[in-house]
Amino acid sequence: MPSPLQLLVVDDHPAFRAGLRALLNDDPRFSVVGEAGTVAEAVARHAELHPDVTLMDLNLQQESGLAAIRQLVAQRADVRVVVLSTFDMSEDIHLAFEAGARAYLLKDSSREEIIAAILAVSAGERVVPPKIQQRLGERRSRPALSAKELEILQLIVQGRSNKEIGAQLNITEFTVKGHLKNIFLKLQVADRTEAAIKAVWEGIVHLRPETFQS
């Protein structure tokens, strides 16, 4: 019988890690050799253990699992990462694959789906379930926002006025309004409220409590 695939589980919730470990270790084809709850731990454990497949959450104690994926890929180009996320936001999915993930599954996936994805990724395949493929298609159909438009959208979500945005970015209110028109057109929304809702819903902007005005 071949040696079991060595797995690293990265998630900031110990209970979820324990459940996933129990699920996978119950199958003789797998062995969970390590766990991590932060980006730094994930990178260190991966360098130490050289797992065959890493299962990665994208939200790690106010950190992004995307940063972990990028660092793992920088360590080893052929790294094999399966994202297991609570969210199916189109921007997260796009960025995960762009960073180097080989599969994207939701945490409510069945045991069989998770196992099949691990086996496929370990064999060098890419796994994109139908629902995730649909969300990727939605993302690809939307024109890309520029770096400046993303900055402004982040500030809109934080509740900043045009005047405040202009002062923070050192541009005029007139320029801010021009960028807003482009943002509304690209997101296919009518106003800043709709833009903020869509930005959060699609994962273009992530809500961080500490970023809001008091």
Side-chain angles (χ1 to χ4, degrees):
M1 185 173 180
S3 299
L5 291 172
Q6 297 192 345
L7 308 177
L8 173 64
V9 175
V10 183
D11 194 288
D12 63 345
H13 290 91
F16 182 81
R17 294 202 306 267
L20 194 56
R21 182 178 65 245
L23 180 152
L24 295 170
N25 280 340
D26 191 49
D27 189 312
R29 292 172 293 180
F30 307 121
S31 175
V32 176
V33 295
E35 300 178 21
T38 67
V39 171
E41 288 175 0
V43 173
R45 296 293 279 161
H46 192 274
E48 172 193 354
L49 299 168
H50 304 290
D52 296 302
V53 177
T54 297
L55 288 86
M56 177 78 66
D57 188 15
L58 292 186
N59 297 294
L60 303 173
Q61 296 182 1
Q62 303 302 314
E63 297 179 292
S64 172
L66 294 170
I69 296 172
R70 294 185 185 107
Q71 291 182 53
L72 297 188
V73 170
Q75 278 184 356
R76 198 179 80 199
D78 66 342
V79 67
R80 293 170 181 179
V81 175
V82 173
V83 170
L84 275 175
S85 178
T86 306
F87 306 105
D88 66 344
M89 293 183 284
S90 60
E91 194 71 12
D92 280 350
I93 297 167
H94 166 75
L95 291 175
F97 282 116
E98 187 179 67
R102 302 288 186 92
Y104 195 110
L105 302 180
L106 298 179
K107 286 187 175 180
D108 62 1
S109 297
S110 69
R111 178 179 185 273
E112 291 72 23
E113 288 171 327
I114 294 172
I115 286 174
I118 294 171
L119 292 172
V121 166
S122 72
E125 299 174 26
R126 199 166 182 256
V127 180
V128 188
K131 184 176 182 180
I132 301 304
Q133 184 64 56
Q134 178 184 345
R135 297 295 280 151
L136 270 178
E138 294 169 4
R139 164 60 176 75
R140 288 168 181 157
S141 68
R142 171 172 54 78
L145 296 169
S146 70
K148 185 62 69 177
E149 288 165 355
L150 286 170
E151 279 188 287
I152 290 172
L153 191 54
Q154 176 78 60
L155 294 170
I156 290 172
V157 170
Q158 293 175 21
R160 302 296 201 265
S161 67
N162 289 355
K163 183 177 181 180
E164 290 171 324
I165 292 171
Q168 183 160 338
L169 300 181
N170 198 28
I171 56 178
T172 66
E173 285 189 64
F174 180 79
T175 301
V176 173
K177 290 178 181 178
H179 283 303
L180 286 175
K181 287 182 181 179
N182 289 334
I183 291 169
F184 296 164
L185 183 63
K186 289 180 178 180
L187 295 184
Q188 298 183 337
V189 297
D191 55 39
R192 62 198 300 133
T193 299
E194 286 186 16
I197 293 170
K198 191 164 188 177
V200 173
W201 178 255
E202 293 196 2
I204 302 169
V205 173
H206 288 274
L207 292 174
R208 304 263 185 223
E210 67 274 12
T211 65
F212 285 84
Q213 301 184 101
S214 58

